[in-house]
Amino acid sequence: MLDTIGRNAPVGQASACPAGINDFAVKLANVNGTGSASANGLIMQAIFRMGIPVTGKNLFPSNIQGLPTWYEIRVNKDGYGARALHYDLMVAMNSQTYKADVREVRSGGYLMYDSTWPLDPHLHRDDITFLGIPLARMCNESFSDPRERILMKNIAYAGSLCAVLDIDMPIVDELLVEKYGKKQSLLDSNHKALKLGYEYARDNFRCPLPFHLEKMEANGEKILIDGNTATALGCLYAGATVAAWYPITPATSVMDAFKSFCEKYRRDPDTGKNNFMILQAEDELAAIGMVLGASWNGARAFTSTAGPGISLMNELLGLAYYAEIPAVVIDVQRVGPSTGMPTRTQQADLLECAYASHGDTRHILLFPANPSECFEFAAKSFDLAERFQTPVIMLSDLDIGMNDWVTPRLKWDDKFRPDRGRVLNEEDLTHMAKYFRYFPDDKNYVAPRTLPGVSAKGAYFIRGSGHNKFGGYTELPSEYQEVMDRLALKHKAAAKFVPAPEIIRRKGARFGVIAIGGCDPAVREAQERFGNAKAGFDYMRIKGFPFHEQVEQFLADHDLCYVVEQNRDAQLKSLLMMETNVPKEKLQSILVYGGFPLSASHVLDALMNRDREGAAVETVNA
């Protein structure tokens, strides 16, 4: 098995440490509700502003307060962004998780802890170095307010991290001013706490540690952004003016961001009136109903939700499919079934979304892999929905949606014009003897639609019940089947318009690997590292459904493909078997579904052990 981070030579008072300059992983173990997010985000942003590639994973519980929470920071000069599994430095601030936290420190690594209280001797390891800092004592002596003492303890350990990792202090000062500049008392408290931790570490430890930071210029054209914010921007740029939703983790911040953007950019400058409408519905069923009503009236409308919301929306998604009403749904996936683990990530909504509703349905799906694609695909979703007059579901996930990613600066083509599809105006209707809603259809099997109020000649009664191609009610088998067959052909035609898969080939590759969405960073890194030890493998990242013709070609080119996905039941593999001609024996699964983001080691371990006991499915513990 290859190490997640392999490097360097012996250091310090412990054994060899395999980390290096701008190449290491830090894990911060805290208690939820103690304000640690500010300190952890401060460190993450400072590293980014030093021009160093970095990723941050927030692993937090669904309970409001009291349970363990972790924040993982991986620094990698080569830009690898998948989650690490072993850590060069652990900041252990939660006594309830000390045992597990100590175990996760790599041999030769370091553990920083609050030495106000003695560490249990049973936790001692000879192969790591313990960095004790009396954080609680220092803060109790320096601050009088009880709540401030708790909060400032986090900023104090951030100060110590600045010392041992050689984080640029002027950058940290700049970040504090940006955040607290209008609240002088808060700014002063944060600076004081930061200095406490920094000076203690400088006075008592070897600073910096053998693995630490050095400024780079790798982030010049990149930004730090989460997928939900990028998604909201994509909806805004696409021209969305109506949104309906019901709060749900991890999708709520999509609508929070969209609301803030609309308040800034969608208000009439002369009257001050809103040019948008955002409605919080009583539930997800009502939310999708509002979206369909707005879309039927000609607005670009969407809703954001997660798996439980998709379950509730099924009936009306079937109505939209059958009555051919555009709609955009943003599904930020989380762990299920039922309530599941709301603050953990998974890719388990694929089949639910692909065939949402009873009866025969097929929906267009898009699979972004990072915030840049969340921005791009959110905008594309509206064009696809209106071109094909059908729901489009964009499947992100919690890792992409709620964590900060270093990603290329978002780009927008100012020449963009929305693709509204086949919409007849009053002039079009005057030249028609009679208008029928579902006839005639074009080469993509899409019939023209009209908008309410344009012309009495274009009025029609929309049906979710049995209807023929003219829009009239029917229960005749031949007429019903004619409509359903056209809908199937329309869905198939959309394959040419969804984003093509990204394919990375390796000379001498013996097999292929397939993935979607948030698995991408881990599989990319695994492909690079596997190639150093073996002949390598080809990699295809699928970006949409129905599957582009290149997906079928990739499957035909390989005798064996491993499908990497984050769910128990191999849903992507199942979708490939149902929707392509690939023989079942060509596909094997690598499944990681514990709720934490995927690591390259998960993929490498499974591939290197793939023939063990002839197992067709490799399940890896997260």
Side-chain angles (χ1 to χ4, degrees):
M1 177 179 121
L2 297 179
D3 289 334
T4 302
I5 306 173
R7 306 287 181 269
N8 247 3
V11 298
Q13 43 191 302
S15 58
C17 178
I21 307 302
N22 294 340
D23 193 359
F24 56 87
V26 179
K27 188 169 186 175
L28 304 106
N30 297 96
V31 177
N32 201 39
T34 59
S36 59
S38 295
N40 300 339
L42 181 71
I43 297 299
M44 171 79 172
Q45 292 174 55
I47 296 171
F48 171 76
R49 291 200 184 182
M50 290 178 69
I52 304 166
V54 60
T55 54
K57 306 292 185 186
N58 189 16
L59 311 177
F60 60 103
S62 55
N63 288 47
I64 295 174
Q65 192 166 1
L67 290 179
T69 182
W70 295 272
Y71 192 77
E72 302 175 348
I73 297 175
R74 182 180 178 188
V75 177
N76 184 269
K77 61 181 181 294
D78 297 319
Y80 291 143
R83 178 178 174 241
L85 292 182
H86 302 283
Y87 304 91
D88 304 289
L89 172 61
M90 176 72 68
V91 181
M93 300 296 293
N94 184 356
S95 59
Q96 294 180 352
T97 63
Y98 271 173
K99 186 176 181 181
D101 296 335
V102 170
R103 188 170 58 245
E104 288 188 348
V105 181
R106 159 189 311 286
S107 180
Y110 293 73
L111 185 137
M112 183 183 291
Y113 70 102
D114 187 348
S115 61
T116 303
W117 302 276
L119 200 64
D120 188 329
H122 291 96
L123 298 174
H124 184 73
R125 279 178 55 186
D126 292 332
D127 63 335
I128 68 174
T129 302
F130 290 80
L131 306 175
I133 304 173
L135 293 163
R137 179 174 62 78
M138 291 192 303
C139 289
N140 288 341
E141 292 171 353
S142 302
F143 301 98
S144 57
D145 180 79
R147 179 62 177 165
E148 191 175 35
R149 287 171 172 174
I150 295 173
L151 296 176
M152 290 304 111
K153 188 168 72 168
N154 298 318
I155 301 300
Y157 78 61
S160 297
L161 287 175
C162 289
V164 300
L165 297 179
D166 207 12
I167 297 175
D168 194 315
M169 287 300 286
I171 290 178
V172 178
D173 290 337
E174 180 183 87
L175 287 166
L176 289 177
V177 170
E178 289 177 9
K179 188 169 186 177
Y180 302 114
K182 295 181 180 179
K183 300 176 182 178
Q184 190 61 46
S185 61
L186 276 176
L187 181 62
D188 291 343
S189 295
N190 276 269
H191 271 133
K192 184 177 181 180
L194 195 75
K195 187 177 180 181
L196 283 174
Y198 183 85
E199 291 185 347
Y200 187 92
R202 294 286 294 184
D203 291 343
N204 292 276
F205 309 135
R206 172 184 175 182
C207 293
L209 297 178
F211 57 90
H212 56 270
L213 303 166
E214 291 181 0
K215 280 188 174 181
M216 294 177 63
E217 298 295 334
N219 297 333
E221 290 301 315
K222 295 180 180 178
I223 60 173
L224 197 62
I225 191 172
D226 64 86
N228 285 353
T229 300
T231 296
L233 271 174
C235 293
L236 184 87
Y237 272 75
T241 56
V242 177
W245 68 303
Y246 185 78
I248 186 169
T249 301
T252 293
S253 57
V254 173
M255 209 58 71
D256 290 341
F258 185 70
K259 179 176 180 288
S260 67
F261 293 139
C262 285
E263 289 173 345
K264 186 173 183 179
Y265 298 111
R266 287 235 192 283
R267 280 196 172 134
D268 188 291
D270 297 323
T271 65
K273 292 184 177 180
N274 292 341
N275 291 324
F276 66 94
M277 179 176 288
I278 300 175
L279 300 164
Q280 181 175 325
E282 61 267 33
D283 55 32
E284 288 88 351
L285 182 60
I288 188 63
M290 293 172 182
V291 168
L292 296 184
S295 297
W296 180 70
N297 273 279
R300 288 200 145 183
F302 77 100
T303 185
S304 59
T305 190
I310 297 290
S311 296
L312 289 174
M313 293 178 187
N314 263 236
E315 183 176 357
L316 286 182
L317 286 171
L319 168 66
Y321 173 81
Y322 193 34
E324 300 183 64
I325 306 171
V328 171
V329 179
I330 307 299
D331 177 15
V332 188
Q333 299 172 92
R334 72 188 210 187
V335 172
S338 187
T339 303
M341 295 190 290
T343 58
R344 297 288 188 256
T345 195
Q346 210 168 68
Q347 297 173 320
D349 295 351
L350 271 69
L351 295 178
E352 177 186 31
C353 288
Y355 306 115
S357 194
H358 56 280
D360 293 321
T361 54
R362 280 190 178 92
H363 299 296
I364 298 173
L365 311 180
L366 297 182
F367 309 120
N370 52 60
S372 286
E373 287 191 342
C374 285
F375 174 73
E376 176 190 346
F377 289 6
K380 190 172 186 62
S381 295
F382 289 94
D383 278 1
L384 286 168
E386 293 197 311
R387 174 185 280 269
F388 289 96
Q389 300 174 19
T390 195
V392 173
I393 306 174
M394 188 182 90
L395 287 87
S396 175
D397 62 45
L398 184 145
D399 180 30
I400 299 171
M402 295 192 70
N403 285 323
D404 288 330
W405 291 54
V406 176
T407 191
R409 188 175 298 276
L410 305 181
K411 295 181 180 179
W412 185 255
D413 184 358
D414 289 334
K415 297 178 182 178
F416 168 82
R417 294 294 179 270
D419 182 351
R420 306 307 303 266
R422 297 189 69 191
V423 182
L424 302 179
N425 57 32
E426 186 176 13
E427 183 181 354
D428 296 327
L429 290 164
T430 60
H431 299 295
M432 298 177 66
K434 191 173 179 61
Y435 170 70
F436 297 106
R437 171 61 185 95
Y438 303 113
F439 181 82
D441 52 297
D442 62 14
K443 64 181 181 179
N444 293 317
Y445 307 96
V446 181
R449 65 182 177 125
T450 61
L451 301 180
V454 170
S455 169
K457 196 173 184 179
Y460 63 93
F461 184 76
I462 197 163
R463 291 187 182 277
S465 56
H467 57 266
N468 60 27
K469 67 181 180 182
F470 303 112
Y473 180 79
T474 187
E475 293 188 16
L476 294 175
S478 60
E479 291 186 342
Y480 165 78
Q481 287 180 207
E482 184 178 22
V483 171
M484 291 298 291
D485 289 346
R486 179 179 62 80
L487 291 176
L489 291 170
K490 183 177 75 167
H491 182 266
K492 186 176 181 179
K496 295 180 181 179
F497 296 86
V498 302
E502 181 177 10
I503 298 173
I504 305 174
R505 297 191 181 272
R506 287 288 183 266
K507 186 175 181 180
R510 294 179 289 109
F511 57 88
V513 172
I514 301 169
I516 61 170
C519 292
D520 183 58
V523 179
R524 282 176 178 270
E525 181 179 349
Q527 187 183 36
E528 292 293 331
R529 289 165 52 189
F530 191 89
N532 293 332
K534 304 279 185 176
F537 60 82
D538 292 335
Y539 170 44
M540 175 175 67
R541 177 168 65 89
I542 297 173
K543 297 184 180 182
F545 172 77
F547 296 126
H548 193 279
E549 62 181 4
Q550 291 181 27
V551 172
E552 191 101 37
Q553 186 60 55
F554 185 90
L555 293 170
D557 289 344
H558 297 84
D559 294 330
L560 177 64
C561 287
Y562 289 89
V563 185
V564 180
E565 48 187 317
Q566 293 182 275
N567 59 71
R568 184 196 68 182
D569 292 341
Q571 294 187 27
L572 178 58
K573 176 186 171 184
S574 298
L575 199 59
L576 287 165
M577 289 192 297
M578 287 187 288
E579 299 287 345
T580 72
N581 294 318
V582 61
K584 180 180 180 179
E585 59 272 14
K586 268 195 174 189
L587 300 180
Q588 293 191 22
S589 291
I590 296 174
L591 306 175
V592 183
Y593 49 89
F596 286 164
L598 191 68
S599 166
S601 291
H602 289 139
V603 181
L604 283 168
D605 289 352
L607 290 176
M608 292 180 175
N609 296 318
R610 64 194 183 279
D611 296 323
R612 183 187 56 187
E613 299 177 3
V617 176
E618 186 80 32
T619 298
V620 184
N621 293 323

